[in-house]
Amino acid sequence: MKQQLSDRITSLPASATLAMAAKARELKTAGKDIISLSLGEPDFNTPDYIKEAAIQAINDNYNSYSPVDGYADLKEAICAKFKRDNNIDYKPSQIVVSTGAKQSLANITQVLLNPGDEVLLPSPYWVSYSAQSILGGATYTEIPSTIETDFKITPAQLEEAITPKTKLIFFNSPNNPSGTVYTEEDYRGLAEVLEKYPDIYIVSDEIYEHINYGTPNFSIAAIPSMYDRTITVNGLAKGFAMTGWRIGFIGAPEWIAKACTKMQGQITSGTNCIAQRAAITALSEPVSRIQYMVDEFQKRRDMMLELLGEIEGVKLNVPKGAFYIFPDVSAFFGKTIKGKEIQNATDFSMLLLEEANVATVTGEAFGAPTCIRISYAASEAQLREAVKRIKEVLV
Ligand code: PMP
Ligand code: GLU
């Protein structure tokens, strides 16, 4: 029989982050000593107080389907969290809990986008925004930024990129991959432009909110003129070291939340009931209980900046949050290293994989073709060894 897949899946790019992680795993299994700095995944265990809540939920016989949009008491806890951390008032009817923030984002693109719509992606941006926009039938336009502007876009750039077809814009702060944090002032400037275009929706992906090294977080939905048009996305994967538990959530205008619930009801239903019970504890306990992980990430960031700063040609900014370094490596383009011609960031990332046994992700996947992403969610010893190997290849 002819293997005939849909156009939808054939035109969909695979997730570059997951693909690189799979490649690193494959090489490791084949016996290669690979240091994988490709995946954005905390290397901590989930904190004990959260694990205990999950064990309790199992013993309390939480084993049935939950409401599609999440348990009522979890949605209450999420509303309290949004008020406490983000100064946003949401009612439980505006909350939808999903199988990771990835599903939250997929729901949004599926319920808001139509063929012909355009999505704006300030670049660099997380890989799945572009892929999910395409799955929604839309096209996307990148609004470029560079290391010189700390990877931030300006209000003027935003205004210039808007067309009559623009439906949605994605913001992500702290940013994956650049670590950039947009301040209240930055968002107010961008909001002034958006106020002139009332038909554009805003997705604010705040999943790295707690992994922030001192810049006050600000949520664009806290600006009253943006509130009715913004979907605030968050989740437990990063800040709470709970990637595999698969809890994401949104706060949104009620009509959008309802549509997301309808979409999810046909695709996955409510997410894992044990993880939801644990999420209540994670979100209700003081944020200070997870600060030890943030402090450790910050130490590693500082160490990585120092070590990588010793390599000529590697241009760095200071990431203010998340757990990635996103160096500009264009100084190496056009050179031949270890017999390999380096024409772009993908060649550079492959050079590091093949010659240094260090897995990173090419910036091309994030709309930033001069950079590579290095995750520092790994032990200090692994990070030191990785940079040593990179140095040996490049210097
Ligand atoms: N948004 C960003 C910016 C991310 O880096 C990730 C990484 N997984 C996600 C969303 C999805 O998170 P989750 O694991 O909750 O699906
Ligand atoms: N978000 C993480 C990353 O960017 C996990 C991988 C993924 O979900 O794409 O590496």
Side-chain angles (χ1 to χ4, degrees), residues 100-102 105 126 129 172 176 205 207-208 237-238 246-247:
K102 200 178 257 183
L105 291 159
W126 183 48
Y129 301 154
N172 171 216
N176 175 5
D205 180 347
I207 195 163
Y208 292 94
K238 313 293 174 175
R246 313 306 301 131
I247 296 283

Side-chain angles (χ1 to χ4, degrees), residues 19 29 41 103 111 135 164 168 173 223 237 306 373:
T29 312
E41 164 152 73
Q103 186 182 30
V111 307
L135 264 187
L168 196 69
S173 170
I223 301 175
E306 194 187 318
R373 190 186 80 173

Side-chain angles (χ1 to χ4, degrees), residues 127-323:
V127 291
S128 293
Y129 301 154
S130 47
Q132 292 188 358
S133 300
I134 293 168
L135 264 187
T139 56
Y140 65 89
T141 306
E142 295 173 356
I143 309 179
S145 73
T146 63
I147 200 161
E148 279 76 25
T149 59
D150 194 25
F151 294 111
K152 285 183 186 175
I153 63 155
T154 62
Q157 277 184 294
L158 170 62
E159 181 126 41
E160 203 174 307
I162 292 172
T163 77
K165 292 180 177 172
T166 306
K167 180 76 177 273
L168 196 69
I169 180 162
F170 280 88
F171 290 120
N172 171 216
S173 170
N175 181 271
N176 175 5
S178 69
T180 297
V181 177
Y182 277 79
T183 62
E184 173 170 356
E185 198 188 345
D186 294 331
Y187 270 137
R188 288 200 184 273
L190 296 165
E192 248 175 61
V193 174
L194 290 165
E195 277 165 9
K196 293 191 243 168
Y197 303 92
D199 296 329
I200 300 177
Y201 295 95
I202 300 143
V203 175
S204 178
D205 180 347
E206 304 178 7
I207 195 163
Y208 292 94
E209 115 177 281
H210 297 309
I211 306 174
N212 178 325
Y213 310 124
T215 314
N217 270 318
F218 186 76
S219 296
I220 191 165
I223 301 175
S225 61
M226 298 292 109
Y227 176 79
D228 280 335
R229 318 154 49 167
T230 301
I231 304 107
T232 307
V233 179
N234 212 319
L236 299 189
K238 313 293 174 175
F240 296 87
M242 293 175 72
T243 48
W245 295 64
R246 313 306 301 131
I247 296 283
F249 52 87
I250 60 166
E254 201 172 297
W255 62 276
I256 296 177
K258 260 193 185 156
C260 288
T261 302
K262 183 174 165 193
M263 175 63 63
Q264 189 163 299
Q266 291 290 21
I267 296 191
T268 54
S269 311
T271 189
N272 180 291
C273 61
I274 307 302
Q276 285 193 59
R277 302 312 301 167
I280 297 175
T281 298
L283 294 172
S284 307
E285 286 292 307
V287 175
S288 55
R289 297 195 75 169
I290 53 173
Q291 186 61 33
Y292 66 97
M293 294 189 264
V294 184
D295 293 342
E296 181 59 32
F297 283 134
Q298 183 167 3
K299 261 200 262 162
R300 295 179 193 170
R301 176 201 66 172
D302 293 343
M303 184 189 84
M304 287 298 275
L305 288 176
E306 194 187 318
L307 295 176
L308 288 166
E310 291 165 7
I311 307 177
E312 209 185 310
V314 173
K315 207 194 282 178
L316 298 159
N317 71 322
V318 179
K320 310 287 188 307
F323 35 61

Side-chain angles (χ1 to χ4, degrees), residues 354-373:
E354 287 163 6
E355 298 297 328
N357 283 347
V358 176
T360 58
V361 185
T362 172
E364 290 184 42
F366 306 95
T370 58
C371 300
I372 61 161
R373 190 186 80 173

